[in-house]
Amino acid sequence: MPFDLPFFAESFVALLGGIPLTLQLTALSVIAGSILAFALAFMRISGKWWLDAPAQFYIFVFRGTPLLVQIYIIYYGLSQFPLLRHSLLWPFLREAYWCAVLALAFNTAAYSAEIIRGGLLSVPAGQIEAARACGMSSHLLFRRIVIPLALRQMLPGYSNEIILMVKSTALASTITLLEITGIAAKLISESYRTVEVFVCAGAIYLAINFLVARVFAWLEYTVSPETRRPEKHYA
């Protein structure tokens, strides 16, 4: 039969075992990438060329090259440097897990930095001037005015980036990690039933990204009260 329901069920259960690793790779890379992205974004808007230029170069390189190439360079390429092999970083860099996290974090940082920069630049100058006229300190201005307004602009784009990162973890299978796609490749090599296995894998990715999209939709609803439908009042 082209579609064997028992095999579908077995494949689906087997692929569920890759979800924890997929979520770990996504979470660690997004957390590390967001920290680096904020630093890059502030470098970009600093107005100082010696900060802006390195940030622009970093973003250009990591947005302009394929993520798969970046993973291969980090996993296979760093071992060619004796200095790294004898450094304190080598116990981490020789592991496929940490190489994947590093590559994913570097990649998402480049995209997230531009999303953050766009959000910060979208804050109306008039509101900043009004806050300063009211005597707000720089810290309070940033916390009460800049961040809330910038967050509303950043969330739609950042939600897309998180969804892309969930899907990008599939590339970790190319360096021996058994996340969802890695397990799928293993099942296919054993059964030669590509369609059934990848349909199950696609369904799992779809479910994860559906939940991610709903979480960000809720966040957008929470931080943007002006977009909510007005309550109806009945006499």
Side-chain angles (χ1 to χ4, degrees), residues 159-182:
S159 66
N160 290 335
E161 178 59 21
I162 300 298
I163 289 172
L164 286 173
M165 288 308 299
V166 173
K167 294 186 290 185
S168 295
T169 57
L171 295 176
S173 63
T174 61
I175 53 173
T176 72
L177 291 181
L178 293 178
E179 38 66 70
I180 295 172
T181 303

Side-chain angles (χ1 to χ4, degrees), residues 88-166:
L88 296 176
L89 296 175
W90 185 241
F92 296 95
L93 294 178
R94 70 183 179 185
E95 299 291 337
Y97 178 85
W98 293 111
C99 287
V101 170
L102 194 62
L104 290 167
F106 283 163
N107 185 269
T108 190
Y111 289 93
S112 300
E114 289 298 277
I115 294 172
I116 294 170
R117 183 178 74 93
L120 293 173
L121 293 177
S122 70
V123 178
Q127 296 201 27
I128 295 177
E129 292 173 2
R132 285 175 176 163
C134 292
M136 279 192 180
S137 64
S138 298
H139 175 74
L140 186 61
L141 169 64
F142 191 76
R143 183 169 61 88
R144 297 291 299 274
I145 304 296
V146 176
I147 286 296
L149 292 176
L151 192 61
R152 298 179 187 181
Q153 303 299 321
M154 288 188 290
L155 277 177
Y158 197 62
S159 66
N160 290 335
E161 178 59 21
I162 300 298
I163 289 172
L164 286 173
M165 288 308 299
V166 173

Side-chain angles (χ1 to χ4, degrees), residues 206-227:
L206 189 63
I208 293 173
N209 285 325
F210 174 78
L211 293 175
V212 171
R214 297 316 303 164
V215 168
F216 274 91
W218 175 80
L219 288 174
E220 290 180 43
Y221 178 84
T222 302
V223 302
S224 304
E226 71 279 359
T227 63

Side-chain angles (χ1 to χ4, degrees), residues 69-91:
V69 172
Q70 297 164 20
I71 291 175
Y72 281 168
I73 289 175
I74 291 175
Y75 183 65
Y76 295 111
L78 295 182
S79 61
Q80 299 180 16
F81 297 94
L83 183 63
L84 280 176
R85 291 201 305 269
H86 296 91
S87 69
L88 296 176
L89 296 175
W90 185 241

Side-chain angles (χ1 to χ4, degrees), residues 165-203:
M165 288 308 299
V166 173
K167 294 186 290 185
S168 295
T169 57
L171 295 176
S173 63
T174 61
I175 53 173
T176 72
L177 291 181
L178 293 178
E179 38 66 70
I180 295 172
T181 303
I183 295 177
K186 184 172 179 291
L187 291 175
I188 291 170
S189 67
E190 295 171 352
S191 65
Y192 299 99
R193 303 177 76 165
T194 305
V195 175
E196 292 95 327
V197 175
F198 274 139
V199 165
C200 291

